[in-house]
Amino acid sequence: MVTCGEGAQGECVARHGSSVPAGGERCVRTHRNVMCACTRTQMERLMTTKTVLITGTSSGIGLAAAVAAARAGWHTVATMRDTTRADALHKAAAEAGVADLVQVKRLDVTDADSVAACVAEVVAEHGRLDAVVNNAGAGFVGTIEQHGMEQVRSVMEVNFFGVVELTRAALPHLRASGGRVITVTSVGGVIGQPFNESYCAAKFAVEGFMEALAPVAATTGVQVALVEPGAVASEFVNNVGLDVPALLTQAGPYAPALQAYVNHAMQSFGSDTAQTPEQAAAPVVEALTAEKVPFRIQTSDWARSFVGTKLADLDGSAVQSMTADWLR
């Protein structure tokens, strides 16, 4: 085995993209039969800076959380299914001065092979994994009678099974680091909302899964937390891909109620109670950095009040009355 310098410098430059300072301490990274002479400080930074993997970072809360985590000093592996959509993230990271801490990787949470490969790459490249933020999600508006089971299964694959798959793959590494699993759900994971049966079912499933996992994971030093945003400005139509005229045409006897619900939702997402993605992402970063993280975190006073309605509603009448009003 040879060190960088006499004949091996070119190999190191080819793999690292830059030459190695003279007198640098040898590192432990081996390239075939060549050991590079990177500086000790470079290696120490690589191996001691905490690493977080965040899903669904091409826009919205995920993008904002990725930038905020990097600003807090984390190596941030920002994943998305389509990396050609990473321009907004790259721009935001550059403007925040943290481009060197944000690494974009492709990850499809519905593909087990993609999940396993991404987690393995992160650990191989960074030497550790300290946190996972399950943020990737898909919305769907409609009622079950009007849509087939394919739509239900599709929403469950992304919003529930994808979360489970990534959490399962990450847990061995999080045990090693004493890390944490943070999952962005929704107030729709606490209160079932009209014309969101599939979405709310998936978010309810995530909440139940994580609530059951949390005490088990805690016995091995891994903390588990849920972050529950309310309305986030500009995301409702964009994320759901809502074609209101088409939905109303297909809604049949449910059209009047659906129109009332859409009016209510659009008003909520455009109101003063709606948060910006940056505001909704702030508690995610707080959950990353807090010594002891609460299990359930709402992102605003409005969200806390909304969720509190359900938690105090033993017979369900208060929630049913509230959501029925949205359809009038």
Side-chain angles (χ1 to χ4, degrees):
M1 188 175 292
V2 297
T3 60
C4 293
E6 306 274 354
Q9 179 76 26
E11 176 76 358
C12 186
V13 172
R15 292 181 181 273
H16 285 298
S18 61
S19 59
V20 179
E25 296 289 340
R26 293 181 184 179
C27 76
V28 296
R29 288 182 295 174
T30 301
H31 305 313
R32 296 178 187 163
N33 65 335
V34 178
M35 181 169 282
C36 301
C38 300
T39 64
R40 182 184 298 276
T41 54
Q42 286 172 323
M43 277 305 298
E44 286 178 347
R45 182 184 179 200
L46 177 69
M47 301 303 290
T48 61
T49 301
K50 290 187 175 182
T51 299
V52 58
L53 187 159
I54 306 177
T55 66
T57 61
S58 63
S59 64
I61 295 173
L63 186 156
V67 173
R71 292 183 69 178
W74 289 67
H75 279 304
T76 302
V77 181
T79 73
M80 58 192 72
R81 185 167 54 183
D82 181 3
T83 56
T84 65
R85 298 183 60 202
D87 288 352
L89 174 59
H90 285 309
K91 180 180 178 182
E95 290 175 349
V98 294
D100 61 326
L101 287 175
V102 176
Q103 177 187 22
V104 174
K105 281 189 176 293
R106 183 185 180 278
L107 173 60
D108 181 352
V109 298
T110 68
D111 181 339
D113 291 338
S114 176
V115 170
C118 186
V119 170
E121 286 176 9
V122 170
V123 174
E125 293 170 6
H126 296 276
R128 60 192 296 161
L129 179 60
D130 299 275
V132 163
V133 176
N134 291 300
N135 173 73
F140 180 73
V141 174
T143 193
I144 188 63
E145 184 184 345
Q146 303 293 319
H147 300 278
M149 288 300 297
E150 181 179 350
Q151 294 287 356
V152 178
R153 292 191 174 97
S154 177
V155 172
M156 292 293 291
E157 282 292 338
V158 176
N159 293 350
F160 176 61
F161 290 114
V163 168
V164 174
E165 186 66 50
L166 179 56
T167 301
R168 183 194 65 80
L171 275 172
H173 309 292
L174 298 176
R175 285 204 317 273
S177 64
R180 53 194 63 184
V181 178
I182 299 166
T183 302
V184 180
T185 61
S186 165
V187 294
V190 181
I191 293 181
Q193 300 178 34
F195 296 101
N196 281 268
E197 296 103 313
S198 300
Y199 177 80
C200 288
K203 294 298 187 179
F204 268 59
V206 167
E207 295 244 349
F209 174 84
M210 292 297 175
E211 192 166 60
L213 175 64
V216 178
T219 66
T220 65
V222 177
Q223 296 189 59
V224 174
L226 298 171
V227 176
E228 298 167 339
V232 176
S234 80
E235 289 200 342
F236 180 69
V237 173
N238 292 341
N239 286 1
V240 177
L242 200 61
D243 183 342
V244 175
L247 278 175
L248 291 172
T249 299
Q250 299 165 8
Y254 300 104
L258 177 58
Q259 181 67 76
Y261 168 73
V262 169
N263 292 343
H264 166 82
M266 297 295 284
Q267 182 178 13
S268 296
F269 279 77
S271 71
D272 292 340
T273 61
Q275 293 182 288
T276 66
E278 290 74 21
Q279 289 171 329
V284 175
V285 179
E286 291 172 8
L288 283 175
T289 57
E291 182 177 349
K292 175 64 176 176
V293 61
F295 173 70
R296 182 173 278 115
I297 305 164
Q298 295 81 38
T299 65
S300 67
D301 290 341
W302 180 89
R304 280 184 283 276
S305 175
F306 189 72
V307 168
T309 301
K310 171 65 171 282
L311 299 180
D313 185 22
L314 294 181
D315 69 356
S317 58
V319 167
Q320 289 298 306
S321 176
M322 176 179 65
T323 55
D325 282 345
W326 301 351
L327 305 183
R328 298 190 177 101

